[in-house]
Amino acid sequence: DELKDYFKKSVLNKVKRLEHYITLIANKSMDENLRKSSISQAVELFEDENRIVQISSLANGKETIIDRPVRTYFDRLYAIRAEKVVITFYKVTQLTDVRLGPDNKYYATAYIFQDTKIYYKEASEVPDYTDVTEKAIDITIKPDTTVVGDKMVVLYPAKLGNINVKETRVTQ
């Protein structure tokens, strides 16, 4: 239970950092160099660049889901033709049982909600598109032994894997 609590905190930390980078990347009023460096920092949260981020949208009651490699996802977010994009992650509803794989890495899946608001018009107070999406984030935790002072300490840094859409709902 103690290790699971540690994993959950590590996962929440990664998700919060991801949310922070997404906010910077999508904010067109921020310095372009900061936005571009945020892409690289966001990609580092993942196991590798081959991981997939699924994006979804709803139109006429039909959900469309598209797979994007992580760097492509962030590059497209950077270049989106909206004036403002606000993506907020909240409510980790579940962290599956953490299981040890044959490769001595731990694996789990976190289920979270993502609130998306897209503003196409400059200075608009009301978003042109909103949705809430439940997502499943695959997590890999690889034990890493390091020396701290005169002690050997095992750290369990979490890396993000694929992010999959479970359900999308319109919020307007």
Side-chain angles (χ1 to χ4, degrees), residues 94-108:
Q94 180 183 357
L95 179 64
T96 61
D97 286 337
V98 178
R99 57 207 175 280
L100 180 62
D103 55 0
N104 287 327
K105 294 179 186 177
Y106 292 90
Y107 295 90

Side-chain angles (χ1 to χ4, degrees), residues 99-166:
R99 57 207 175 280
L100 180 62
D103 55 0
N104 287 327
K105 294 179 186 177
Y106 292 90
Y107 295 90
T109 302
Y111 292 88
I112 64 162
F113 286 91
Q114 174 185 308
D115 183 52
T116 302
K117 293 181 172 93
I118 301 175
Y119 302 79
Y120 292 108
K121 298 175 210 95
E122 195 170 341
S124 177
E125 295 294 320
V126 178
D128 296 291
Y129 177 85
T130 65
D131 72 32
V132 172
T133 305
E134 183 180 6
K135 292 198 169 183
I137 304 176
D138 294 332
I139 309 292
T140 301
I141 302 158
K142 179 182 174 189
D144 182 26
T145 305
T146 187
V147 178
V148 176
D150 59 350
K151 290 185 185 176
M152 295 294 283
V153 176
V154 179
L155 301 175
Y156 297 90
K159 287 286 195 174
L160 303 178
N162 295 329
I163 299 179
N164 298 301
V165 170
K166 292 299 169 195

Side-chain angles (χ1 to χ4, degrees), residues 37-126:
S37 70
S38 294
I39 291 172
S40 295
Q41 291 169 323
V43 169
E44 288 177 19
L45 297 174
F46 290 82
E47 272 188 281
D48 59 57
E49 290 193 28
N50 296 322
R51 299 298 132 193
I52 296 297
V53 176
Q54 286 188 335
I55 56 172
S56 63
S57 62
L58 283 173
N60 302 321
K62 184 176 186 288
E63 181 181 48
T64 302
I65 298 174
I66 300 170
D67 292 359
R68 300 250 190 259
V70 293
R71 185 169 298 276
T72 302
Y73 168 77
F74 293 121
D75 287 342
R76 291 179 65 90
L77 182 61
Y78 175 87
I80 194 168
R81 289 196 169 134
E83 287 300 316
K84 183 167 114 179
V85 177
V86 178
I87 295 175
T88 307
F89 295 111
Y90 64 96
K91 196 174 170 186
V92 174
T93 59
Q94 180 183 357
L95 179 64
T96 61
D97 286 337
V98 178
R99 57 207 175 280
L100 180 62
D103 55 0
N104 287 327
K105 294 179 186 177
Y106 292 90
Y107 295 90
T109 302
Y111 292 88
I112 64 162
F113 286 91
Q114 174 185 308
D115 183 52
T116 302
K117 293 181 172 93
I118 301 175
Y119 302 79
Y120 292 108
K121 298 175 210 95
E122 195 170 341
S124 177
E125 295 294 320
V126 178

